[in-house]
Amino acid sequence: MDSPARSCMVVLADLRDRFPALDGWLVQFQGLLEPSRVVLAPEDDCLHLALCSQGERQIASLALPPDLCRMGQPLDHLALGETIADLLLERGLIPARVSVDLLLPLSSCQWRVVQGAEPGQALDVDALRALQPDLGWSLSLQESYLDLLPLPRADRTLVMGTDRLLLQSWIETLANADLSVRRAEWLLSAAFRGLSTAWGNREERLVWLVEQGSRWRLLLLHGGCPDVDLALEAVELSALRKEVQALVQAWCEPQERVGWWVTASPQWQGRWAPEHDPQLGRLHSDAEMSLLDLALTAPQEVAA
């Protein structure tokens, strides 16, 4: 004899066959019970929303007028909040039942690698504020929102910082959309975590070339830790290649093994490889993923 649970499943399957609209009602009912997790990655001129639908990740993007966000700072909390809410509703999501992972814009944060006072002892936020190290950035440690990421070298910690008022501005903007923030992280640090997962624990040096908003950034990693972070001048491909190769040659020893990873928008996919010299090191990725794509591959973190 069938169990009561199995009988209920058979009845439910029969009802879904007879009434296809029931699937939509069940999805809405589940949404009322459990908040949907979405990733919001705002830029000055665009909003990106990543969510899972039927087991697949989807990204919705919306162009923004120039008066809503500038240099990573929301300018009109109410209008921007309403725009985000409308984007969610268009995707069939109820803002009040959505939990947001916020990826702060590239221009809104700074980061540094910090070495702990004692070997093998990881830093926490309180210890960092007490140490007051000179990080060479414009942010005040006491007035900043800080996020720490342990690095493969036990005595190294990656410190990300943003102005506390800027983060509060985004929280207020999302509150206007009736949204709660589960976690806030920098877009670049999330992409770095995604890269670290894909790269593994290799000791090989890695050249990470990053494009965002038509500007390029060069990050040189040694032992899984960012060693150099530079904004590049060149935009055109041939000039960019010359600038990068000169910097890489100055950074590593002759004949040293180096890996290459290009993260860029879809229009750049496959463009680095044709002129890449294998003697400079193996090219592991030729813009198969954008910065946001790579950030979305990062392991999920608990709420901060």
Side-chain angles (χ1 to χ4, degrees):
M1 182 178 294
D2 289 341
S3 68
R6 180 175 177 80
S7 298
C8 288
M9 291 176 64
V10 171
V11 171
L12 180 58
D14 181 59
L15 287 172
R16 293 173 73 174
D17 288 338
R18 294 172 59 190
F19 304 103
L22 183 60
D23 278 335
W25 298 339
L26 288 173
V27 170
Q28 293 182 27
F29 180 69
Q30 184 178 9
L32 293 174
L33 297 177
E34 176 179 308
S36 300
R37 175 180 172 268
V38 303
V39 178
L40 179 67
E43 298 180 43
D44 286 357
D45 58 356
C46 190
L47 284 176
H48 303 287
L49 185 73
L51 64 150
C52 285
S53 178
Q54 298 180 350
E56 295 184 0
R57 178 179 290 123
Q58 297 182 359
I59 299 179
S61 299
L62 177 68
L64 293 177
D67 57 346
L68 290 188
C69 187
R70 185 178 303 133
M71 295 297 293
Q73 175 75 44
L75 300 181
D76 188 328
H77 296 176
L78 182 58
L80 186 54
E82 290 176 347
T83 301
I84 294 171
D86 289 343
L87 182 59
L88 288 168
L89 290 170
E90 289 174 4
R91 310 299 297 186
L93 296 172
I94 302 171
R97 301 303 306 165
V98 168
S99 177
V100 172
D101 282 9
L102 176 64
L103 294 181
L104 293 166
L106 206 61
S107 60
S108 65
C109 298
Q110 300 180 52
W111 65 352
R112 293 290 186 274
V113 175
V114 176
Q115 185 169 1
E118 298 181 15
Q121 181 177 350
L123 286 173
D124 58 27
V125 171
D126 291 338
L128 184 66
R129 294 191 198 279
L131 284 173
Q132 284 292 302
D134 181 8
L135 299 179
W137 62 16
S138 59
L139 299 170
S140 164
L141 285 179
Q142 299 301 328
E143 301 300 327
S144 301
Y145 168 79
L146 301 176
D147 194 13
L148 306 185
L149 177 64
L151 291 171
R153 298 183 194 178
D155 61 340
R156 306 291 175 89
T157 301
L158 193 60
V159 180
M160 286 76 67
T162 190
D163 187 280
R164 194 186 301 274
L165 293 178
L166 183 142
L167 178 60
Q168 185 61 39
S169 184
W170 277 109
I171 292 174
E172 291 175 5
T173 297
L174 294 174
N176 283 321
D178 204 15
L179 291 167
S180 61
V181 178
R182 173 184 174 273
R183 175 173 170 79
E185 185 177 9
W186 191 25
L187 175 62
L188 185 59
S189 65
F192 171 74
R193 292 195 300 110
L195 176 67
S196 298
T197 300
W199 186 243
N201 295 321
R202 306 186 195 189
E203 288 298 318
E204 179 183 0
R205 291 179 184 253
L206 180 65
V207 177
W208 185 22
L209 190 58
V210 175
E211 180 266 345
Q212 180 78 354
S214 300
R215 301 301 302 177
W216 289 89
R217 188 171 188 150
L218 179 66
L219 296 106
L220 304 177
L221 279 61
H222 187 200
C225 301
D227 200 14
V228 176
D229 179 8
L230 294 171
L232 301 177
E233 296 293 331
V235 176
E236 192 269 333
L237 186 58
S238 60
L240 177 69
R241 192 183 299 275
K242 291 178 181 179
E243 184 178 4
V244 170
Q245 289 176 357
L247 291 167
V248 172
Q249 289 173 5
W251 172 61
C252 62
E253 298 293 331
Q255 307 303 319
E256 187 173 9
R257 188 180 178 191
V258 177
W260 293 69
W261 195 294
V262 180
T263 299
S265 305
Q267 64 266 27
W268 288 96
Q269 187 170 341
R271 296 182 60 187
W272 191 269
E275 300 297 326
H276 180 70
D277 184 354
Q279 294 185 355
L280 297 176
R282 179 184 173 188
L283 179 63
H284 294 271
S285 177
D286 191 4
E288 283 81 7
M289 289 187 286
S290 68
L291 195 63
L292 176 58
D293 292 332
L294 190 56
L296 294 175
T297 69
Q300 292 187 23
E301 295 285 321
V302 298

PDB file of all heavy atoms in Angstrom, residues 47 80 104 112 151 154 164 210 253 295:
ATOM      1  N   LEU A  47      22.337  48.852 -14.006  1.00  0.00           N
ATOM      2  CA  LEU A  47      22.064  47.927 -12.907  1.00  0.00           C
ATOM      3  C   LEU A  47      22.119  46.504 -13.435  1.00  0.00           C
ATOM      4  O   LEU A  47      21.559  46.205 -14.489  1.00  0.00           O
ATOM      5  CB  LEU A  47      20.672  48.170 -12.322  1.00  0.00           C
ATOM      6  CG  LEU A  47      20.436  49.356 -11.409  1.00  0.00           C
ATOM      7  CD1 LEU A  47      18.950  49.424 -11.045  1.00  0.00           C
ATOM      8  CD2 LEU A  47      21.278  49.268 -10.147  1.00  0.00           C
ATOM      9  N   LEU A  80      16.155  55.743  -7.472  1.00  0.00           N
ATOM     10  CA  LEU A  80      16.960  54.549  -7.736  1.00  0.00           C
ATOM     11  C   LEU A  80      16.336  53.324  -7.078  1.00  0.00           C
ATOM     12  O   LEU A  80      16.303  52.236  -7.665  1.00  0.00           O
ATOM     13  CB  LEU A  80      18.387  54.763  -7.236  1.00  0.00           C
ATOM     14  CG  LEU A  80      19.407  53.671  -7.563  1.00  0.00           C
ATOM     15  CD1 LEU A  80      19.454  53.388  -9.058  1.00  0.00           C
ATOM     16  CD2 LEU A  80      20.790  54.064  -7.057  1.00  0.00           C
ATOM     17  N   LEU A 104      29.317  46.071  -4.364  1.00  0.00           N
ATOM     18  CA  LEU A 104      29.588  47.497  -4.458  1.00  0.00           C
ATOM     19  C   LEU A 104      30.396  47.818  -5.719  1.00  0.00           C
ATOM     20  O   LEU A 104      31.270  47.043  -6.117  1.00  0.00           O
ATOM     21  CB  LEU A 104      30.337  47.972  -3.219  1.00  0.00           C
ATOM     22  CG  LEU A 104      29.526  47.919  -1.912  1.00  0.00           C
ATOM     23  CD1 LEU A 104      30.447  48.073  -0.714  1.00  0.00           C
ATOM     24  CD2 LEU A 104      28.449  48.988  -1.907  1.00  0.00           C
ATOM     25  N   ARG A 112      43.894  46.553   0.287  1.00  0.00           N
ATOM     26  CA  ARG A 112      45.318  46.412   0.547  1.00  0.00           C
ATOM     27  C   ARG A 112      45.565  45.038   1.182  1.00  0.00           C
ATOM     28  O   ARG A 112      44.695  44.487   1.865  1.00  0.00           O
ATOM     29  CB  ARG A 112      45.828  47.484   1.527  1.00  0.00           C
ATOM     30  CG  ARG A 112      45.804  48.906   1.005  1.00  0.00           C
ATOM     31  CD  ARG A 112      46.829  49.151  -0.085  1.00  0.00           C
ATOM     32  NE  ARG A 112      46.879  50.557  -0.455  1.00  0.00           N
ATOM     33  CZ  ARG A 112      46.091  51.126  -1.358  1.00  0.00           C
ATOM     34  NH1 ARG A 112      45.166  50.397  -1.971  1.00  0.00           N
ATOM     35  NH2 ARG A 112      46.212  52.414  -1.654  1.00  0.00           N
ATOM     36  N   LEU A 151      44.139  35.262   3.312  1.00  0.00           N
ATOM     37  CA  LEU A 151      44.829  34.866   2.089  1.00  0.00           C
ATOM     38  C   LEU A 151      45.594  33.561   2.316  1.00  0.00           C
ATOM     39  O   LEU A 151      45.792  33.142   3.459  1.00  0.00           O
ATOM     40  CB  LEU A 151      45.780  35.981   1.660  1.00  0.00           C
ATOM     41  CG  LEU A 151      45.087  37.256   1.160  1.00  0.00           C
ATOM     42  CD1 LEU A 151      46.111  38.366   0.961  1.00  0.00           C
ATOM     43  CD2 LEU A 151      44.316  36.990  -0.121  1.00  0.00           C
ATOM     44  N   ALA A 154      49.478  32.528   5.547  1.00  0.00           N
ATOM     45  CA  ALA A 154      48.763  32.578   6.826  1.00  0.00           C
ATOM     46  C   ALA A 154      48.853  33.925   7.518  1.00  0.00           C
ATOM     47  O   ALA A 154      47.963  34.290   8.297  1.00  0.00           O
ATOM     48  CB  ALA A 154      49.297  31.479   7.757  1.00  0.00           C
ATOM     49  N   ARG A 164      31.797  54.505   5.054  1.00  0.00           N
ATOM     50  CA  ARG A 164      30.609  54.002   5.751  1.00  0.00           C
ATOM     51  C   ARG A 164      29.333  54.704   5.276  1.00  0.00           C
ATOM     52  O   ARG A 164      28.268  54.089   5.169  1.00  0.00           O
ATOM     53  CB  ARG A 164      30.778  54.188   7.264  1.00  0.00           C
ATOM     54  CG  ARG A 164      29.777  53.397   8.107  1.00  0.00           C
ATOM     55  CD  ARG A 164      29.926  53.743   9.574  1.00  0.00           C
ATOM     56  NE  ARG A 164      31.264  53.467  10.067  1.00  0.00           N
ATOM     57  CZ  ARG A 164      31.653  52.287  10.521  1.00  0.00           C
ATOM     58  NH1 ARG A 164      30.805  51.279  10.528  1.00  0.00           N
ATOM     59  NH2 ARG A 164      32.885  52.111  10.979  1.00  0.00           N
ATOM     60  N   VAL A 210      42.051  42.795 -15.990  1.00  0.00           N
ATOM     61  CA  VAL A 210      40.633  43.024 -15.727  1.00  0.00           C
ATOM     62  C   VAL A 210      40.133  44.245 -16.478  1.00  0.00           C
ATOM     63  O   VAL A 210      40.741  45.320 -16.403  1.00  0.00           O
ATOM     64  CB  VAL A 210      40.383  43.215 -14.204  1.00  0.00           C
ATOM     65  CG1 VAL A 210      38.929  43.575 -13.941  1.00  0.00           C
ATOM     66  CG2 VAL A 210      40.759  41.952 -13.440  1.00  0.00           C
ATOM     67  N   GLU A 253      60.870  37.201 -12.535  1.00  0.00           N
ATOM     68  CA  GLU A 253      62.217  36.840 -12.924  1.00  0.00           C
ATOM     69  C   GLU A 253      62.203  36.248 -14.337  1.00  0.00           C
ATOM     70  O   GLU A 253      61.227  35.626 -14.753  1.00  0.00           O
ATOM     71  CB  GLU A 253      62.788  35.810 -11.935  1.00  0.00           C
ATOM     72  CG  GLU A 253      62.906  36.306 -10.510  1.00  0.00           C
ATOM     73  CD  GLU A 253      63.947  37.405 -10.375  1.00  0.00           C
ATOM     74  OE1 GLU A 253      64.906  37.407 -11.176  1.00  0.00           O
ATOM     75  OE2 GLU A 253      63.800  38.265  -9.481  1.00  0.00           O
ATOM     76  N   ALA A 295      32.629  37.058 -10.417  1.00  0.00           N
ATOM     77  CA  ALA A 295      32.188  37.301  -9.041  1.00  0.00           C
ATOM     78  C   ALA A 295      31.063  36.345  -8.647  1.00  0.00           C
ATOM     79  O   ALA A 295      30.988  35.900  -7.492  1.00  0.00           O
ATOM     80  CB  ALA A 295      31.711  38.749  -8.889  1.00  0.00           C
TER      81      ALA A 295
END
